[in-house]
Each structure stands twice: as C-alpha cells, then as structure tokens.
C-alpha cells in the first residue's frame, strides 16, 4: 500500500473538531437518551431495554464497512453523514413534544446510531489516508482526548443545561426539544466546516479489491470464521463487559429516581455537574 500523501493543511485544523463530533452520538445514545426518557416518564425497564439496544450498530458496523470502502470517498461519507445526523437530530427535536413520542423517537435514535457508526468507519479511515505515519502516531492522543471531551460535553454540559432549562420552563418536552435542536445546529455547523476544512488526500478514493474477485471479501470472512477457537474468541469479545454494560444502563435512573423509589433523587443539574 502507498504511504498517505502529505497534507498541506495543519491537522489541528480538523482532527479536534472531527473527533469531538464523532463522539457526540455515542454519548447521546449511551447517556442523554436515558436521561431524556427518564424525565419524560418512561419506566426503568423500558429505558434499559430500548437504550441498551441502541449500541448494536456500533457493534456490527464491520458488516457494511466494505460499502464505505467501495463507494465514494471517505471525505464525502464524513460530510454527508454529519448532514444526515443534523437532520435526524432536528427530527428528534420536532418529535419529542408529540403525545405518542416513544416509538418515533426510538426509530430516530436507531437511524442516528447507524448513521453515526457509518461516520466512524469513514472518519477513522480518512484519518489514516490524510496523515503520514508519524503524524498518525502523534495525533492518537488528540483523537482520544477530543472524543472524551465530547462525552463530557453531552453527559455534563447538555444534561446540566436540560436541568437549568427545566427549572425555568417547567416543560419537559420543550426542554428536550431545545437540547436536540442545539445538537442539530452543531452538526449543521460541523458538516459545513468539515466540507471546507478537511484535506483532500490523493489516496481517498473508492477501494477496488482485486484479490479474489467479487467473492474475495466473502472468502476472507469465511476464512476468518474457520480459525481454531473462533467461537470462544468472538463470544469473549462480545460478552466480557456484558455485566458492566447492563449495570451502566441503570446508573442515571438510579441517580434520578426519588429516594422513596430507591434512588438518590438528584436533579438534572446535579447529575450533569
């Protein structure tokens, strides 16, 4: 494989914003959706079931990663998926105030999750194409830092903002509609910025897998499944944090539930802080 072409653009111009934006939907699915549904009166059982399942697209994203490789450029995928995420979040903002909000909001969260998982594939691939090897190594910590900062911005900043708005308006649906409108606005700005700021590496083009012809990808996948002990290996990778994942889904409901129900009775502002 050819080494990535040197980019004339300073990586600080796009890596922090790209990975901050990449982390937002993860935090929305993992935490913000839980707090929102709790505020809207959804039961803890339904919250754990519905929001826990939202992480599935990130688990199975290798199933369609080859599509991102073969169709269009990764730069194009990054910008388009950010615009689509803006539309989905705007639709969530409009749907939350409706009387029968649960099903349509869950459907939109699923679209958000699949779109975000696709964005992850494209963004990580683009990072490898846009930077030479020494810069890829140098910016690993920058990527991780801004991804984590986005989690703090959602779980701390937006949850706290929701609490502040709720105290002043008294309207739960309007409060959460505003929060998702803010997120939609960020993704519009992010998509527009990255359409301008992202470099255009010469290697960012559709990948043609010549080896093995059309069935090459299938044969590679089947050969992977034929490895000794693959069942136990895959089971371990999928299940070793299952107990933690189940417990974490009920952290926010426990903190928000009133003390009479066995919780700690925190407000959104306290939880965000």
């Amino acid at each position: 494989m050819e080494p990535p072409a040197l980019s004339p653009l300073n990586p600080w111009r796009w890596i922090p914003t790209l990975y901050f934006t990449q982390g937002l939907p993860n935090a929305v699915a993992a935490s913000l959706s839980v707090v929102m549904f709790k505020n809207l009166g959804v039961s803890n059982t339904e919250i754990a079931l519905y929001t826990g399942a939202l992480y599935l697209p990130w688990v199975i994203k290798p199933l369609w990663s080859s599509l991102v490789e073969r169709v269009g450029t990764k730069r194009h995928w990054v910008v388009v998926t950010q615009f689509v995420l803006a539309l989905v979040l705007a639709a969530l903002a409009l749907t939350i105030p409706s009387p029968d909000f649960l099903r349509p909001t869950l459907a939109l969260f699923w679209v958000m999750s699949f779109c975000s998982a696709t964005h992850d594939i494209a963004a990580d691939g683009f990072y490898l194409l846009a930077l030479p090897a020494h810069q890829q190594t140098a910016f690993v910590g920058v990527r991780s830092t801004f991804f984590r900062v986005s989690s703090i911005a959602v779980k701390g900043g937006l949850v706290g903002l929701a609490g502040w708005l709720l105290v002043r308006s008294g309207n739960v649906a309007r409060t959460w509609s505003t929060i998702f409108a803010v997120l939609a606005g960020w993704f519009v700005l992010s998509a527009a910025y990255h359409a301008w700021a992202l470099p255009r590496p010469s290697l960012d083009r559709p990948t043609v897998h010549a080896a093995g012809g059309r069935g090459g990808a299938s044969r590679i996948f089947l050969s992977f499944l034929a490895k000794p002990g693959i069942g136990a290996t895959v089971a371990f990778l999928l299940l070793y944090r299952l107990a933690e994942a189940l417990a974490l889904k009920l952290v926010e409901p426990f903190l928000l539930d009133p003390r009479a129900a066995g919780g700690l009775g925190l407000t959104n502002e306290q939880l965000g802080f």
Side-chain angles (χ1 to χ4, degrees):
M1 178 180 174
E2 306 171 60
L6 287 173
S7 170
L9 299 179
N10 186 342
W12 283 103
R13 178 169 146 176
W14 57 274
I15 290 176
T17 54
L18 179 62
Y19 281 91
F20 179 85
T21 302
Q22 179 174 314
L24 292 176
N26 285 266
V28 169
S31 185
L32 198 67
S33 62
V34 175
V35 180
M36 183 196 78
F37 284 134
K38 186 65 181 174
N39 289 170
L40 290 169
V42 179
S43 72
N44 290 350
T45 303
E46 290 177 302
I47 289 172
L49 175 64
Y50 297 144
T51 64
L54 288 176
Y55 240 74
L56 180 63
W58 284 283
V59 175
I60 64 173
K61 65 183 179 182
L63 296 179
W64 67 90
S65 60
S66 62
L67 176 67
V68 178
E69 294 283 340
R70 293 168 183 263
V71 178
T73 65
K74 293 176 181 63
R75 187 184 193 279
H76 178 80
W77 279 100
V78 166
V79 174
V80 169
T81 50
Q82 287 184 8
F83 270 120
V84 174
L85 283 164
L87 293 174
V88 173
L89 291 164
L92 273 164
L94 296 173
T95 304
I96 290 167
S98 64
D100 184 23
F101 65 88
L102 186 57
R103 289 184 181 179
T105 53
L106 281 172
L108 287 167
F109 275 129
W110 273 101
V111 175
M112 180 201 75
S113 298
F114 275 103
C115 190
S116 175
T118 305
H119 176 275
D120 290 2
I121 297 166
D124 292 342
F126 181 83
Y127 175 86
L128 296 176
L129 296 176
L131 296 177
H134 70 280
Q135 284 189 320
Q136 291 174 24
T137 304
F139 278 88
V140 166
V142 176
R143 290 173 51 184
S144 300
T145 297
F146 280 89
F147 189 92
R148 297 303 178 190
V149 168
S150 71
S151 180
I152 296 170
V154 171
K155 298 178 182 181
L158 290 183
V159 170
L161 177 60
W164 185 84
L165 292 172
L166 187 55
V167 168
R168 281 146 187 82
S169 72
N171 188 315
V172 177
R174 186 184 306 159
T175 292
W176 283 103
S177 183
T178 301
I179 294 298
F180 279 93
V182 169
L183 278 167
W186 170 265
F187 272 90
V188 170
L189 294 174
S190 178
Y193 175 75
H194 289 128
W196 168 78
L198 291 180
R200 299 177 184 272
S202 60
L203 292 178
D204 186 18
R205 54 181 183 264
T207 303
V208 179
H209 297 284
R214 290 184 177 180
S218 300
R219 283 194 289 274
I220 292 170
F221 182 70
L222 291 174
S223 68
F224 172 76
L225 293 179
K227 291 180 178 294
I230 190 64
T233 301
V234 171
F236 173 76
L237 293 173
L238 293 176
L239 301 175
Y240 82 108
R241 292 183 66 184
L242 178 61
E244 179 190 3
L246 292 172
L248 287 176
K249 271 295 133 188
L250 291 174
V251 167
E252 283 94 350
F254 165 68
L255 294 172
L256 292 170
D257 265 332
R259 298 198 177 192
L264 291 187
L266 300 185
T267 65
N268 281 10
E269 284 184 280
Q270 292 170 325
L271 177 61
F273 179 76

